[in-house]
Amino acid sequence: MPLIKQLTEVTIQAELEERLIAEESPNRKNGSSTKTMKAPAGEFELKTPRDRTSTFEPWIVKKH
C-alpha cells in the first residue's frame, strides 16, 4: 500500500508542476490537502497538492 500512495502522490505532484509551467497567468503551489482513498487492499490517506487559484484537478484522482 505505501508504494501505491507514493507513486500516486509523485504523479499528482508532477502533474501540478507541469500545469503551472504551461499556464500563462501567474499561479503557484499552495500546500496540500488530504484525501482518503479506498483501494482493494484497504484505505489510505493521500496528500493532494493545491494551487493558488484552486483550478487544479488531478487527472489521476478527481476531486470529491
Side-chain angles (χ1 to χ4, degrees):
M1 193 67 90
L3 182 59
I4 294 170
K5 175 184 162 75
Q6 288 176 343
L7 287 173
T8 306
E9 287 177 348
V10 167
T11 302
I12 294 172
Q13 197 65 251
E15 186 179 345
L16 174 61
E17 289 176 13
E18 188 68 27
R19 178 173 173 167
L20 292 177
I21 291 169
E23 282 188 356
E24 292 180 14
S25 61
N27 192 5
R28 54 183 208 249
K29 295 178 185 178
N30 189 27
S32 63
S33 58
T34 58
K35 179 182 280 196
T36 302
M37 299 299 299
K38 295 180 182 177
E43 292 184 0
F44 61 95
E45 292 290 320
L46 184 67
K47 290 171 80 174
T48 56
R50 297 182 303 207
D51 64 335
R52 291 267 180 201
T53 60
S54 298
T55 57
F56 175 66
E57 183 174 341
W59 179 80
I60 194 166
V61 179
K62 301 290 183 189
K63 288 183 178 179
H64 309 289

